[in-house]
Amino acid sequence: MTCFHQLLPELKETNSVNEQLALLNPLWCWQQSNDENTVTISALLNTSLIAEQVKKARLTLQAPNDKVAASLIQKKLMTQLISPLVAVHVLSEQSPHFSLSGLVIPSDFSKPVMWLNEGFCAVPSNDFIVWIERLIQSFYLLFRHTFAIPPKTFWGNAALAIASPWSRLVGQGVNGKIVAQDVQQFFSHLYPELQQALEWLVIEKGEFEIMVPRRNNCCLKYRLPEKQLCGTCNRQTKQQQIDRVITRLV
């Protein structure tokens, strides 16, 4: 696979993973947890915590049913859990020792994943991909069977989280076509459901080309009272999405 550092030259200027993460998203700081209000990922998969969060989300967001609320909770959880893990791996080629009991996340999913012990090691990308796929599959079984989230909605939420490290390069003067090629190469090793969940738009803006993901499905956010669409939603036309991206970067 292409070295992620080649996409953004500034990443080569430091060997600190946290400094590199800060260039993508300061919230992804890889740190040891000292917060008591956290839950391990293994426990999260075996408790009623997700159901509690879905119940709260249905009330606070005024979602019409549990399915809509569950989709938005799954989307939030994937962003806080999967995105940082992928970012750490593509930057450092490291991963947890594949132990879900060594990873914790705030019980309200308000902050990214943290670690309990320094149980990290260099791992081949193929091994990391197999591990992250199995982790996502565990959540699929939970969300699909408990809340009846449509499969394409679930895989779209997960795929968007996986793509987040590449999406964070938008607006940083990076060649969009090269970014699209790199992220597509990474996705080519994933489940077909994840590969088919997104397409990649390369937008010309002045001298630069920008790559942004576009969902091939919907997270169901449009069913909330505000009826708003996410920036990557396929319920808007491609041109509408392109216009929104360009406006945001002006």
Side-chain angles (χ1 to χ4, degrees):
M1 296 184 184
T2 302
C3 179
F4 190 89
H5 297 77
Q6 295 177 6
L7 302 177
L8 185 63
E10 288 86 341
L11 294 171
K12 298 179 181 179
E13 297 177 2
T14 176
N15 292 322
S16 167
V17 175
N18 271 340
E19 290 180 7
Q20 293 170 343
L21 286 170
L23 291 171
L24 300 178
N25 186 345
L27 296 178
W28 288 346
C29 179
W30 201 233
Q31 59 186 338
Q32 188 166 7
S33 171
N34 57 7
D35 189 345
E36 295 181 356
N37 297 316
T38 59
V39 60
T40 65
I41 306 308
S42 56
L44 181 62
L45 288 164
N46 292 283
T47 69
S48 61
L49 180 60
I50 290 179
E52 294 173 5
Q53 291 299 316
V54 169
K55 182 178 180 180
K56 290 180 181 178
R58 184 169 179 182
L59 291 174
T60 58
L61 299 176
Q62 298 182 0
N65 53 48
D66 283 352
K67 180 169 64 176
V68 172
S71 172
L72 298 176
I73 285 296
Q74 184 241 334
K75 184 179 180 181
K76 180 179 181 180
L77 176 60
M78 295 292 99
T79 298
Q80 302 291 43
L81 172 60
I82 301 302
S83 297
L85 291 174
V86 173
V88 168
H89 181 71
V90 297
L91 286 171
S92 67
E93 296 185 353
Q94 293 189 75
S95 172
H97 278 300
F98 302 150
S99 171
L100 299 184
S101 60
L103 297 172
V104 295
I105 194 167
S107 55
D108 60 357
F109 312 153
S110 60
K111 297 180 181 179
V113 64
M114 296 172 282
W115 47 269
L116 290 175
N117 303 299
E118 292 196 46
F120 287 81
C121 62
V123 295
S125 289
N126 288 342
D127 291 348
F128 174 78
I129 285 174
V130 169
W131 178 73
I132 206 75
E133 283 180 326
R134 288 176 178 171
L135 176 57
I136 293 172
Q137 178 68 24
S138 297
F139 283 107
Y140 174 78
L141 296 175
L142 191 160
F143 278 93
R144 177 64 180 156
H145 293 169
T146 305
F147 305 105
I149 289 182
K152 290 184 178 180
T153 295
F154 177 94
W155 294 113
N157 290 338
L160 203 61
I162 294 173
S164 187
W166 290 270
S167 298
R168 301 295 298 189
L169 297 173
V170 172
Q172 301 206 45
V174 181
N175 187 314
K177 286 185 178 179
I178 295 178
V179 174
Q181 291 171 0
D182 191 73
V183 69
Q184 286 173 323
Q185 183 183 23
F186 188 90
F187 267 74
S188 69
H189 299 274
L190 297 173
Y191 287 150
E193 293 89 343
L194 290 167
Q195 294 182 41
Q196 297 163 8
L198 303 176
E199 64 175 303
W200 312 95
L201 303 180
V202 178
I203 305 168
E204 293 186 3
K205 185 179 184 298
E207 299 178 355
F208 298 105
E209 292 173 328
I210 303 166
M211 184 284 300
V212 294
R214 175 178 171 83
R215 296 179 64 126
N216 289 325
N217 48 72
C218 177
C219 70
L220 307 181
K221 181 181 178 180
Y222 80 100
R223 296 192 61 188
L224 297 181
E226 296 84 356
K227 300 188 182 301
Q228 295 179 344
L229 298 180
C230 295
T232 58
C233 187
N234 70 334
R235 288 180 174 272
Q236 62 185 332
T237 67
K238 291 183 180 181
Q239 189 58 52
Q240 286 175 324
Q241 181 176 351
I242 290 171
D243 291 343
R244 290 177 69 172
V245 171
I246 292 176
T247 299
R248 179 163 57 90
L249 294 177
V250 170

